[in-house]
């Protein structure tokens, strides 16, 4: 019998309270068994959470930077102590492999506390000279905490992604209300415990559970000053409408191209595709959703990719040796199947994989993919490597730029000229040269071009969403 966990509900003003809304059951994608059930917050409880954050903001923004840094440092230690325990929760709720969940907790989430503590200590203002009058004015530029930050996050990096606005927000002097995905509420509660036990005062970090209606009410709430949303383009558009004129960062979907030129190191390009297409069963915004391969090396590349794909160990996500677990969400699994069916109906060929069993979908390699197929035009979010052949760099760049997405692209080549040209021409927020699309550097700005989002996050780059730039003028006459 699987262990069923009782969720505690909303975390408001430093206390756990049961949600008064609908009961939502969380299912383990691997076993199909209930992990537990969670009660959603009602509109009144969302009001209470936002009011608690507003009250706490008035004192939290006045704390010294050293007080906030000290709590962040304690939180880092606690997060590292509990990393394994929370990683297991992530895996039970989402089906991520234990190695992927551990990486999320240790390399990304815990380190947000360390990086935020360092960042906020080095936060600088500016003094500008006057360009008006008799040069007797001085203009001071400071960045102040924006106020109450609403974080709405997806299930695929359920703690790390929300951790960015929450941890950096708290470090900058903001207070927060978080609506995690209804698919991963248990690890969210465990993260709130880390914040509470580290000493972030009551009201500074709040949490409400629920579906999209709760997220929508939160981002549209008049007591919220800034919104940091990560999720699909479709939901992001609703969030943008509900948030109106609030400060905001939107981190949305992708359909990333990996381009393999004729002179590429093919082994490196194949490993890039394995990481890009099959990490987290392809359920990553930065996944390589289109693999564009120069016709001269197409056959060799496909042969090596198929060999490597067959070596992937698919199965129990809690087993150390597993490379790929189940998919998390039935709708996404069905979309993956539909994209493969559409591609095959229009002339593509399944070279390996192509079938599913329960929530598991085989790692799949498709050849003969063309730019009009659904799999090339839409985000699949499944474990598929759709291969498209091309004859010139110009053609590859045209295909790569031809969708509404623009999150991450990668290019494999030994030519400095081609790499540079591609990097300049690709309309994507990030371009990696000789590296998988699924490479994330925690100090670099992360975000999308075109419909893949607006604003940037990670390290100090998220400061724009969490602070208000203020001009203060001194007249010295
Ligand atoms: P969704 O857009 O379905 O959901 C994201 C969050 O928004 C969830 O907490 C969801 O709640 C909530 N939500 C749903 N409807 C609304 C609404 N109307 N107003 C406010 N909040 C709402 O995304 P998924 O969870 O399925 O995640 C996958 C998507 O996220 C993919 O498109 C992926 O590319 C993208 N993503 C982008 C990243 C980036 O940094 N650019 C990183 C990771 C993922 P609930 O779960 O309860 O429905």
């Amino acid at each position: 019998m699987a262990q069923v966990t009782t969720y505690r509900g909303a975390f408001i003003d430093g206390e756990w309270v049961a949600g008064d809304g609908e009961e939502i059951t969380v299912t383990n994608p691997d076993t199909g068994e209930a992990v537990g059930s969670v009660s959603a917050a009602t509109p009144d409880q969302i009001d209470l959470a936002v009011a608690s954050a507003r009250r706490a903001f008035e004192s939290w923004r006045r704390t010294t930077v050293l007080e906030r840094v000290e709590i962040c440092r304690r939180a880092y230690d606690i997060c590292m102590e509990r990393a394994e325990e929370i990683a297991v929760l992530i895996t039970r709720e989402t089906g991520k492999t234990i190695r992927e969940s551990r990486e999320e907790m240790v390399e990304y989430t815990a380190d947000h506390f360390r990086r935020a503590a360092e960042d906020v200590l080095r936060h600088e203002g500016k003094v500008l000279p006057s360009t008006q009058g008799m040069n007797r004015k001085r203009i001071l530029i400071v960045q102040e905490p924006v106020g109450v930050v609403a974080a709405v996050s997806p299930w695929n990096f359920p703690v790390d992604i929300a951790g960015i606005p929450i941890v950096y927000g708290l470090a900058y002097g903001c207070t927060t209300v978080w609506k995690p995905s209804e698919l991963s509420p248990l690890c969210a509660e465990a993260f709130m415990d880390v914040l509470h036990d580290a000493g972030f005062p009551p009201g500074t970090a709040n949490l409400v559970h629920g579906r999209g209606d709760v997220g929508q009410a939160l981002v549209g709430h008049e007591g919220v000053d800034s919104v940091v949303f990560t999720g699909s383009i479709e939901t992001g558009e609703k969030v943008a409408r509900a948030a109106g004129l609030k400060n905001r960062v939107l981190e949305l979907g992708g359909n990333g191209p990996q381009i393999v030129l004729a002179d590429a190191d093919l082994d490196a390009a194949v490993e890039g595709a394995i990481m890009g297409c099959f990490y987290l069963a392809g359920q990553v915004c930065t996944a390589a959703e289109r693999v564009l391969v120069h016709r001269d090396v197409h056959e060799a590349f496909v042969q090596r990719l198929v060999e490597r794909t067959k070596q992937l160990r698919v199965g129990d996500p809690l087993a150390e040796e597993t490379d790929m677990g189940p998919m998390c969400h039935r709708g996404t699994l069905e979309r993956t199947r539909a994209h493969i069916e559409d591609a095959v109906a229009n002339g593509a060929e399944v070279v390996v994989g192509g079938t599913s069993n329960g929530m598991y979908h085989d790692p799949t390699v498709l050849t003969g993919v063309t730019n009009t197929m659904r799999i090339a035009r839409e985000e699949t979010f499944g474990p598929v490597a759709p291969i498209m052949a091309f004859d010139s760099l110009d053609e590859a760049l045209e295909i790569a730029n031809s969708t509404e997405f623009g999150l991450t692209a990668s290019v494999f080549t030994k030519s400095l000229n081609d790499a540079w040209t591609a990097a300049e021409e690709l309309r994507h927020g990030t371009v990696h040269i000789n590296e998988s699309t699924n490479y994330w550097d925690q100090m670099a700005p992360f975000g999308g071009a075109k419909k893949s989002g607006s604003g940037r996050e990670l390290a100090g780059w998220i400061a724009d969403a969490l602070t208000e730039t203020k001009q203060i003028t001194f007249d010295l006459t």
Side-chain angles (χ1 to χ4, degrees):
M1 179 65 191
Q3 183 194 346
V4 177
T5 306
T6 309
Y7 291 76
R8 285 164 290 169
F11 191 66
I12 301 175
D13 215 8
E15 304 276 345
W16 288 104
V17 290
D20 292 331
E22 68 164 318
E23 202 71 14
I24 302 168
T25 300
V26 182
T27 306
N28 180 329
D30 172 45
T31 61
E33 290 171 320
V35 179
S37 71
V38 61
S39 48
T42 57
D44 284 350
Q45 290 178 311
I46 298 167
D47 285 346
L48 287 174
V50 174
S52 142
R54 282 239 74 83
R55 272 193 310 279
F57 178 62
E58 288 314 313
S59 49
W60 184 244
R61 71 187 177 93
R62 294 184 167 84
T63 51
T64 67
V65 69
L66 285 178
E67 280 175 78
R68 284 179 264 132
V69 161
E70 198 51 41
I71 303 175
C72 282
R73 288 179 178 153
R74 275 203 299 277
Y76 170 77
D77 290 339
I78 297 173
C79 200
M80 287 299 281
E81 277 161 26
R82 299 183 193 169
E84 187 65 18
E85 189 189 321
I86 302 177
V88 171
L89 296 178
I90 294 175
T91 292
R92 290 181 64 217
E93 290 186 308
T94 67
K96 286 178 79 150
T97 68
I98 188 64
R99 284 188 276 133
E100 290 164 347
S101 299
R102 202 176 282 142
E103 180 183 345
E104 170 172 354
M105 286 310 299
V106 174
E107 288 186 34
Y108 312 142
T109 308
D111 250 5
H112 292 326
F113 291 107
R114 274 210 301 210
R115 281 186 290 268
E118 288 166 11
D119 203 61
V120 77
L121 279 176
R122 286 166 181 73
H123 214 71
E124 295 169 349
K126 280 184 185 161
V127 180
L128 306 182
S130 161
T131 59
Q132 305 259 336
M134 307 292 289
N135 196 25
R136 296 299 297 154
K137 298 191 200 310
R138 299 291 179 272
I139 299 161
L140 184 65
I141 306 295
V142 292
Q143 278 177 294
E144 298 183 338
V146 70
V148 175
V149 178
V152 178
S153 55
W155 66 267
N156 64 341
F157 289 81
V159 184
D160 157 48
I161 283 177
I164 301 166
I166 294 173
V167 174
Y168 282 89
L170 291 168
Y172 281 119
C174 301
T175 56
T176 61
V177 184
W178 177 20
K179 205 296 281 177
S181 168
E182 95 225 8
L183 302 169
S184 51
L186 183 53
C187 54
E189 292 193 357
F191 188 64
M192 295 309 287
D193 286 339
V194 171
L195 298 171
H196 180 69
D197 295 347
F200 287 106
T204 53
N206 303 272
L207 171 144
V208 287
H209 287 306
R211 297 186 196 272
D213 56 326
V214 173
Q216 179 119 5
L218 177 61
V219 300
H221 200 289
E222 60 182 19
V224 165
D225 300 293
S226 182
V227 171
V228 180
F229 171 81
T230 304
S232 60
I233 291 178
E234 191 188 354
T235 312
E237 283 175 337
K238 291 182 197 157
V239 166
R241 279 195 293 277
L245 297 178
K246 293 183 179 87
N247 215 322
R248 61 175 189 242
V249 167
L250 301 173
E251 295 290 353
L252 309 179
N255 184 16
Q258 171 179 323
I259 299 174
V260 181
L261 295 177
D263 67 344
D265 173 337
L266 280 197
D267 288 331
V270 166
E271 288 314 308
I274 290 284
M275 174 70 180
C277 301
F278 303 129
Y279 182 89
L280 185 38
Q283 304 160 108
V284 188
C285 53
T286 51
E289 295 243 342
R290 295 172 288 159
V291 184
L292 280 60
V293 184
H294 194 281
R295 212 174 294 279
D296 288 354
V297 289
H298 181 271
E299 199 182 324
F301 178 87
V302 171
Q303 191 189 348
R304 289 190 210 188
L305 181 63
V306 168
E307 279 163 22
R308 279 289 288 119
T309 303
K310 285 180 179 164
Q311 289 165 4
L312 292 174
R313 292 156 298 189
V314 181
D316 177 3
L318 279 170
E320 286 295 331
E321 66 276 11
T322 298
D323 295 313
M324 206 184 93
M327 296 185 71
C328 177
H329 190 255
R330 181 152 296 280
T332 314
L333 175 84
E334 277 160 13
R335 185 174 61 221
T336 303
R337 291 164 55 105
H339 280 190
I340 293 172
E341 275 165 29
D342 171 77
V344 170
N346 286 290
E349 187 190 343
V350 174
V351 193
V352 64
T355 56
S356 61
N357 178 14
M359 290 301 291
Y360 282 86
H361 195 290
D362 293 335
T364 298
V365 177
L366 276 179
T367 52
V369 172
T370 60
N371 205 21
T372 53
M373 295 174 182
R374 284 186 70 194
I375 205 155
R377 311 302 312 161
E378 301 171 21
E379 184 180 39
T380 306
F381 219 54
V384 190
I387 316 276
M388 304 166 82
F390 68 84
D391 293 298
S392 68
L393 176 60
D394 283 349
E395 184 190 355
L397 294 175
E398 195 180 322
I399 296 170
N401 282 335
S402 69
T403 72
E404 61 181 3
F405 303 91
L407 194 57
T408 305
S410 87
V411 183
F412 284 81
T413 178
K414 295 197 186 91
S415 156
L416 182 59
N417 246 328
D418 287 348
W420 197 277
T421 302
E424 285 189 352
E425 293 300 321
L426 284 164
R427 285 194 62 203
H428 287 69
T430 301
V431 178
H432 298 304
I433 307 298
N434 295 326
E435 179 52 270
S436 164
T437 56
N438 275 341
Y439 171 77
W440 316 285
D441 192 296
Q442 298 296 311
M443 297 303 288
F446 182 82
K450 303 203 283 189
K451 283 198 173 182
S452 288
S454 62
R456 293 294 180 268
E457 63 176 16
L458 285 180
W461 303 96
I462 198 168
D464 284 352
L466 304 173
T467 59
E468 198 87 73
T469 302
K470 183 183 272 182
Q471 170 194 340
I472 303 169
T473 308
F474 284 83
D475 190 319
L476 305 181
T477 51

